Amino acid sequence: FDAVIQAVTGVESAVSAASAPATPYAGASGTVGLWHFDEGVSTRAADSSGSANHGGLGCLSAACVSTPTFITADAAAALREPLLDGLASAVRMNGQTDSLVNVPHSASLNFGGSLTVQAWARFKNISVSSAGVVSKGYFGDEAFALDFARTAAGSVKARFLVRDSGGTTLFSVTSTQTIPANAWVHLTGVYDQPGGELRMFVDGALSATAPGPASRRLNAHLLSIGSRQSGAALYDLSFSGDIDEVHVLNQVRLSTQV
């Protein structure tokens, strides 16, 4: 999982632990955003990547009356963050429209090429399909999104998606297995640009692959954690549950690294 730190130092065949970070709080090589959510009491979500992509817990409209909150370490914290000696907490999302962790747009988050997005998540219920875990851009202009999708049969699956550089075609990969409610799950979405492929990992195992675009959409939107937009206005595709250890990298993570 993400706490097992190893970094890609070149092409996929050249993997080395030499560039592993000095502490578990510093991300592996290629990390542009890493939010541990260990503040406990704050409205700030610090970025440990070194890129200063700090986020804020809050509401984006007056209609939103309940902001995300930190929850204290639980029995599963040692699984999510085994190197942090039980210090881990997480952020709880209430599922309200416009309630989210807001990370402002930055040059370091607006990179092209390959991409990896990771998070621990535990959903309470999924009342809307496409409930956002991590997203950059509204529906129709996404750079990327990691979310939970409700199927026609009512089951919930994890999904990772990117849009092509022209903004006309959405590419996505969905987990083969159903994701249960009220249980922590580790999600990894990978866009391998040279390989032209999307990959979805669930709890460290490859779940599904799908074709990817030749190049990926870029945008100047904020990065949202815990909600995403169905259009250019409200953040109305909101997640209800807990999120931890969100990690964004500007490179491919291999099966041995997730």
Side-chain angles (χ1 to χ4, degrees):
F1 295 100
D2 195 45
V4 179
I5 299 167
Q6 190 179 44
V8 177
T9 56
V11 297
E12 183 161 320
S13 61
V15 180
S16 171
S19 55
T23 77
Y25 264 90
S29 173
T31 297
V32 296
L34 177 57
W35 299 272
H36 293 293
F37 300 116
D38 290 339
E39 287 78 4
V41 286
S42 178
T43 58
R44 181 177 185 264
D47 170 26
S48 298
S49 72
S51 299
N53 289 313
H54 308 302
L57 285 63
C59 289
L60 295 185
S61 69
C64 168
V65 296
S66 181
T67 66
T69 57
F70 290 107
I71 60 170
T72 56
D74 55 21
L79 173 65
R80 300 194 307 276
E81 302 179 67
L83 300 181
L84 301 186
D85 196 26
L87 299 176
S89 62
V91 64
R92 175 156 293 172
M93 314 304 303
N94 53 47
Q96 282 196 7
T97 294
D98 282 343
S99 180
L100 67 156
V101 179
N102 171 359
V103 179
H105 169 73
S106 72
S108 62
L109 293 173
N110 196 38
F111 58 91
S114 296
L115 162 75
T116 300
V117 181
Q118 298 181 295
W120 282 93
R122 175 175 63 180
F123 72 85
K124 181 178 179 182
N125 59 72
I126 300 296
S127 58
V128 295
S129 189
S130 306
V133 178
V134 191
S135 180
K136 193 171 191 299
Y138 60 82
F139 184 82
D141 194 41
E142 304 95 334
F144 59 83
L146 184 64
D147 66 12
F148 285 106
R150 182 174 291 281
T151 68
S155 61
V156 174
K157 297 192 174 186
R159 181 176 63 167
F160 177 64
L161 57 91
V162 300
R163 193 167 288 274
D164 73 310
S165 58
T168 58
T169 305
L170 185 69
F171 292 76
S172 67
V173 59
T174 302
S175 66
T176 56
Q177 65 267 61
T178 295
I179 308 299
N182 301 308
W184 282 107
V185 61
H186 187 258
L187 306 176
T188 300
V190 174
Y191 165 53
D192 180 352
Q193 184 183 38
E197 187 174 68
L198 298 178
R199 302 175 194 129
M200 169 60 72
F201 295 83
V202 177
D203 286 336
L206 181 64
S207 176
T209 64
S215 57
R216 182 171 56 83
R217 184 77 168 167
L218 301 180
N219 61 47
H221 296 285
L222 62 85
L223 182 146
S224 59
I225 298 171
S227 189
R228 57 185 297 242
Q229 296 168 286
S230 63
L234 301 174
Y235 281 80
D236 54 350
L237 302 176
S238 296
F239 176 86
S240 177
D242 305 323
I243 297 173
D244 201 6
E245 293 300 294
V246 173
H247 194 181
V248 178
L249 302 99
N250 61 12
Q251 60 185 19
V252 170
R253 294 219 96 182
L254 312 181
S255 58
T256 55
Q257 300 172 298
V258 300

